[in-house]
Amino acid sequence: MCVFRRVIQKFIHKDFHEVVQRMTVIDTFLFLIIHSGDKLGMWHKVPVILGLFYLAIRRHLHQQYNLFNVGKTRVGGVWFKPEDFPYRTADGKYDDPFNDGAGARDTFFGRNIHPVDQSKKLLKPDPMVVTTKLLARRKLIDTGKQFNVISASWIQFMIHDWMDHLEDTKQVELVAPCEVASECPMKSFKFFQTKQVRTGLLDNKIGSINIRAPWWDGSVLYGSNQEMLGKVRTYKDRKLKIDNDGLLPHDKDGIAIFGDVRNSWASVSTLQALFIKEHNAICDALKVWINGKEIQRHIRTCWRTYFGRLSGLEKTK
């Protein structure tokens, strides 16, 4: 077996030698298939069935050898019967039949490397110096027809659907260094640091919690728990609340009633209102063929497909 591994190392990149040593014989052969396909650059040109087989192998190898467990639930998760949960829940559980917590709210962020203390390196060079030197506009540069201010709001809109670290009550302050202070509109910037949570494990003792339901699940519209989902619904035809003027409704404190309103601003709110209308339009289209109780289950599937496709098109233009 050792001779076999030494032989195949001649055909794979040196960066993969260590991980291949930990693989089973079958996984080693699967890795050779994937590695060869990557080197030839042809996997996307093969028939669909073979392409799906390629992606399934790649996912298996990544989960087995490229992820480190964080939290008490193992990387493989807990299996369940898909028929018991035929649709995505409000908090994102039961989306993967082989891992009940995959993509769920209040779960640990996974890791593909072990944590390393970089507290002394993060400010060298200082991030405010980097942003001032690289991102400050010295002159107007035409960014073309596609990239504009909507791009910034779209990126923030997507992040609201994916992740948000559980924060601690302690604030961190970054102060602009003297050499760039005169060029910084903000002389200092305060934010809450990420809360460090004990995992109960020996290798990765500390982890970070995601308080949003990740993946393209529409949680930016519906929220990441049942309580928020109840607030945004009209309870008529499975539609979401929207004011007569086409904008987001607000509660008595002036806070928008929406799935996720943290760090929002006018352009993000506009996108939120736009996609609420899209949700309601899909509801009108589906209710012709599907009864009211089933619409919510199907609407989220339609929305996730549409959302993911739209994101892919915008990022690949």
Side-chain angles (χ1 to χ4, degrees):
M1 188 63 186
C2 293
V3 176
F4 168 73
R5 293 189 184 280
R6 284 198 295 268
V7 171
I8 65 172
Q9 284 183 354
K10 298 179 180 180
F11 301 96
I12 62 177
H13 195 279
K14 62 180 181 180
D15 289 348
F16 297 112
H17 287 180
E18 186 274 331
V19 70
V20 170
Q21 291 293 328
R22 296 188 281 114
M23 291 183 180
T24 64
V25 175
I26 295 177
D27 285 346
T28 301
F29 279 110
L30 293 177
F31 173 81
L32 287 175
I33 295 174
I34 298 299
H35 195 55
S36 300
D38 290 345
K39 292 176 70 174
L40 294 175
M42 57 177 291
W43 75 268
H44 59 287
K45 300 178 182 179
V46 300
V48 173
I49 297 299
L50 292 180
L52 292 174
F53 180 65
Y54 168 91
L55 292 175
I57 296 176
R58 175 176 282 280
R59 176 175 179 174
H60 163 73
L61 293 175
H62 274 302
Q63 289 184 325
Q64 291 297 120
Y65 303 104
N66 197 43
L67 296 177
F68 294 105
N69 194 27
V70 180
K72 295 182 179 180
T73 303
R74 61 188 176 85
V75 173
V78 177
W79 290 31
F80 65 92
K81 294 182 180 179
E83 56 268 24
D84 293 337
F85 300 93
Y87 57 94
R88 186 174 175 86
T89 59
D91 60 0
K93 287 184 179 178
Y94 310 112
D95 205 51
D96 184 341
F98 304 108
N99 189 341
D100 63 333
R105 173 188 167 150
D106 294 332
T107 54
F108 283 98
F109 283 99
R111 303 192 65 92
N112 56 8
I113 60 173
H114 288 296
V116 178
D117 183 12
Q118 298 185 8
S119 57
K120 296 181 179 179
K121 299 180 180 180
L122 290 178
L123 298 180
K124 296 180 180 180
D126 191 285
M128 288 194 176
V129 174
V130 174
T131 54
T132 302
K133 299 295 184 182
L134 296 182
L135 302 181
R137 284 195 174 190
R138 309 299 178 184
K139 60 180 180 179
L140 179 63
I141 300 176
D142 184 12
T143 55
K145 297 180 180 180
Q146 290 294 323
F147 196 88
N148 49 41
V149 70
I150 297 179
S151 300
S153 56
W154 175 248
I155 292 171
Q156 186 175 351
F157 185 80
M158 290 191 293
I159 297 300
H160 277 225
D161 200 274
W162 292 342
M163 69 176 76
D164 190 2
H165 290 74
L166 177 65
E167 295 175 344
D168 205 336
T169 56
K170 181 181 179 180
Q171 280 192 328
V172 178
E173 182 178 14
L174 296 180
V175 180
C178 58
E179 63 264 33
V180 296
S182 60
E183 302 178 58
C184 294
M186 296 179 63
K187 307 307 178 187
S188 67
F189 178 69
K190 293 182 179 180
F191 57 93
F192 290 104
Q193 70 178 22
T194 299
K195 186 177 181 62
Q196 300 296 302
V197 181
R198 292 193 175 277
T199 64
L201 301 178
L202 296 177
D203 46 2
N204 290 320
K205 297 180 180 180
I206 301 296
S208 301
I209 298 290
N210 188 2
I211 60 174
R212 289 190 177 122
W215 302 351
W216 276 130
D217 68 335
S219 56
V220 65
L221 291 182
Y222 312 115
S224 296
N225 55 43
Q226 193 64 41
E227 178 184 3
M228 181 53 69
L229 178 60
K231 290 181 179 179
V232 300
R233 288 178 55 189
T234 63
Y235 291 94
K236 181 180 179 181
D237 295 331
R238 305 295 168 170
K239 292 185 178 181
L240 302 181
K241 295 177 182 177
I242 189 78
D243 275 350
N244 294 331
D245 59 5
L247 301 177
L248 299 178
H250 292 71
D251 62 17
K252 61 181 181 180
D253 297 320
I255 300 176
I257 301 174
F258 197 73
D260 195 313
V261 295
R262 280 171 60 92
N263 306 319
S264 191
W265 56 295
S267 191
V268 174
S269 295
T270 301
L271 284 177
Q272 292 171 330
L274 172 65
F275 285 109
I276 284 181
K277 293 180 180 180
E278 184 70 20
H279 168 99
N280 292 344
I282 297 175
C283 286
D284 287 333
L286 288 179
K287 70 180 182 181
V288 178
W289 297 284
I290 304 173
N291 65 62
K293 292 183 179 180
E294 296 294 323
I295 286 180
Q296 185 64 32
R297 301 180 182 182
H298 291 278
I299 188 82
R300 252 186 128 145
T301 301
C302 292
W303 171 250
R304 291 169 65 187
T305 304
Y306 171 76
F307 218 9
R309 179 61 176 166
L310 178 62
S311 174
L313 288 173
E314 289 302 311
K315 286 188 290 188
T316 53
K317 279 185 178 180

